[in-house]
Amino acid sequence: MKASIVISIWGFLLSMTLASCNFFSSSSGSVVRATGVPYEVVVVADHSLWNDAVGNKIKDELQRTVPGLPQAEPSMRITHVDPADFNGIMTYVRNILMVEVDPSRYTKVSFNTEKDRWSSGQVVVHVTSPEKAMLHDYLEQHPGQLVDYYTKVEMSRMAQVLRKTHSTWIENKLKEKFGIVLYVPEEFGSYKDSTDFFWSSNNANTGRMDIVVYTFPYTDEQTFTKEYLVARRNSMLGANIPGSFPGSHMATDTNNVSYTATTQRGKYCGVLRGLWQMEGDMMGGPFVSYARVDETQNRVVVAEGFVYSPETDKRTYIRRLEGALHTLLLPGESDAQEEQPKPEVNE
């Protein structure tokens, strides 16, 4: 059915309290810190709705496959609770989705967000509709909106954690070499430094994570195409990341790579996401790459994270690396310019 849909979004600034205490002082008094793990959502919805078609649609949306992984892994972990049972510690979870269908209270589908409703560092999304069918139609027409929003929130949280706890010596190396800021996980303890290329790693036996940064001159807008950035990636990583056997080197699996355009601190950012492989070797895994223009030096700065973790899930590792990429600051930029996560408005 054709739905008349109006979306109202409450703007908010995402904040995380990283102090060691369990409470913080606010204008409303002491508030408990948010609980739960990253990428976990508590969905508060009536049982009849949750077990109907619209509930199945919400499950499908929140459990969309994480893009760019070699095996299918769901985006979010879902816990469902009926409104009558939503109380106590359940109200402290970091991500909450409240869904209500009531023709006596609502005349249109609406999405609203708020922060710190019951706990510090919490995000609550309210979805309301007069009819199940109208809500189902909206979700059909706007695929990925819910999961994209929660993913952006979690990436922002991860970046905030890394700003507090990261490898300071890698931070200093990148400042000296490129004049940029990038906060990588503190367990990164090795690096390779060559002309216009920097490679650091945690060198873990399980869940190995690597971050590379490289630059090249900016010529024109054609730089920001999938074909051009993949070619540059193959050239830079092929020359600097060898495999275990003579002649083996890193390359991009061109059958499994995507390109999307986004913004970072208000500036254009090209994102490559997909799979890497070792030519001449039996290795591979997922990667994500951010490319941005440094206008002060007329160059492209690329920051990339890639994972090698055979026979294990890779979602957590690649998301941690992408959280690090969110901290990238080019010359003249500051953390104050960070864009706050908000749902996309599609009418």
Side-chain angles (χ1 to χ4, degrees), residues 92-329:
Y92 302 150
V93 176
R94 61 199 281 149
N95 300 316
I96 296 175
L97 173 63
M98 307 193 74
V99 185
E100 184 179 7
V101 175
D102 188 343
S104 68
R105 297 185 61 190
Y106 309 111
T107 59
K108 52 188 174 290
V109 175
S110 295
F111 276 56
N112 298 285
T113 66
E114 61 178 325
K115 71 177 185 74
D116 303 341
R117 171 68 183 274
W118 293 284
S119 61
S120 153
Q122 181 183 69
V123 167
V124 181
V125 177
H126 298 269
V127 179
T128 57
S129 175
E131 298 177 11
K132 293 180 183 179
M134 289 178 67
L135 179 53
H136 188 278
D137 286 352
Y138 177 84
L139 295 172
E140 284 278 1
Q141 295 162 16
H142 304 86
Q145 180 170 314
L146 277 174
V147 72
D148 288 349
Y149 171 68
Y150 281 118
T151 298
K152 289 176 182 178
V153 168
E154 290 291 4
M155 287 292 174
S156 182
R157 286 173 174 149
M158 181 71 71
Q160 290 185 46
V161 170
L162 286 169
R163 290 186 184 102
K164 297 288 185 178
T165 307
H166 57 269
S167 173
T168 55
W169 71 276
I170 293 291
E171 175 192 1
N172 292 332
K173 288 283 185 181
L174 290 171
K175 283 181 180 178
E176 294 171 6
K177 184 174 182 64
F178 298 113
I180 66 170
V181 173
L182 186 70
Y183 301 131
V184 306
E186 60 181 345
E187 67 267 27
F188 276 50
S190 62
Y191 75 96
K192 174 183 177 180
D193 190 354
S194 59
T195 304
D196 298 326
F197 188 87
F198 186 89
W199 173 20
S200 61
S201 175
N202 67 348
N203 269 339
N205 292 325
T206 300
R208 171 165 172 157
M209 298 182 292
D210 296 68
I211 282 182
V212 298
V213 178
Y214 57 90
T215 65
F216 55 87
Y218 175 70
T219 53
D220 55 46
E221 294 180 355
Q222 293 304 310
T223 296
F224 288 91
T225 64
K226 181 173 75 171
E227 293 74 19
Y228 188 90
L229 290 175
V230 166
R232 278 288 186 174
R233 181 183 189 276
N234 287 339
S235 174
M236 296 295 289
L237 274 65
N240 289 281
I241 302 184
S244 303
F245 301 102
S248 61
H249 59 86
M250 180 173 281
T252 308
D253 181 351
T254 55
N255 294 319
N256 292 281
V257 61
S258 66
Y259 176 79
T260 56
T262 185
T263 59
Q264 194 173 40
R265 290 169 180 82
K267 301 293 182 63
Y268 187 94
C269 178
V271 180
L272 285 179
R273 194 185 304 273
L275 303 181
W276 62 271
Q277 60 191 11
M278 279 291 180
E279 295 286 352
D281 200 347
M282 297 295 292
M283 294 178 68
F287 77 91
V288 58
S289 171
Y290 283 26
R292 298 185 58 207
V293 175
D294 173 14
E295 296 176 354
T296 66
Q297 300 185 46
N298 199 40
R299 63 178 178 171
V300 176
V301 176
V302 178
E304 171 181 323
F306 61 89
V307 172
Y308 179 65
S309 186
E311 299 180 1
T312 64
D313 289 344
K314 301 159 183 66
R315 174 185 61 186
T316 300
Y317 301 124
I318 199 68
R319 281 173 163 171
R320 192 170 185 212
L321 291 175
E322 189 164 2
L325 302 188
H326 274 251
T327 70
L328 175 64
L329 295 175

Side-chain angles (χ1 to χ4, degrees), residues 14-159:
L14 179 66
S15 62
M16 281 284 286
T17 301
L18 298 173
S20 60
C21 59
N22 290 327
F23 296 88
F24 81 103
S25 178
S26 70
S27 59
S28 60
S30 294
V31 180
V32 70
R33 289 173 58 189
T35 62
V37 298
Y39 299 95
E40 176 185 49
V41 179
V42 168
V43 181
V44 183
D46 184 85
H47 282 300
S48 63
L49 183 151
W50 188 244
N51 295 319
D52 204 346
V54 69
N56 291 332
K57 190 62 181 176
I58 292 172
K59 296 172 198 173
D60 290 343
E61 285 296 304
L62 292 176
Q63 293 185 317
R64 280 178 171 268
T65 300
V66 177
L69 298 184
Q71 295 89 28
E73 297 183 47
S75 289
M76 313 296 293
R77 174 184 173 184
I78 303 173
T79 298
H80 168 252
V81 60
D82 189 82
D85 300 320
F86 182 64
N87 52 52
I89 61 173
M90 294 294 291
T91 63
Y92 302 150
V93 176
R94 61 199 281 149
N95 300 316
I96 296 175
L97 173 63
M98 307 193 74
V99 185
E100 184 179 7
V101 175
D102 188 343
S104 68
R105 297 185 61 190
Y106 309 111
T107 59
K108 52 188 174 290
V109 175
S110 295
F111 276 56
N112 298 285
T113 66
E114 61 178 325
K115 71 177 185 74
D116 303 341
R117 171 68 183 274
W118 293 284
S119 61
S120 153
Q122 181 183 69
V123 167
V124 181
V125 177
H126 298 269
V127 179
T128 57
S129 175
E131 298 177 11
K132 293 180 183 179
M134 289 178 67
L135 179 53
H136 188 278
D137 286 352
Y138 177 84
L139 295 172
E140 284 278 1
Q141 295 162 16
H142 304 86
Q145 180 170 314
L146 277 174
V147 72
D148 288 349
Y149 171 68
Y150 281 118
T151 298
K152 289 176 182 178
V153 168
E154 290 291 4
M155 287 292 174
S156 182
R157 286 173 174 149
M158 181 71 71

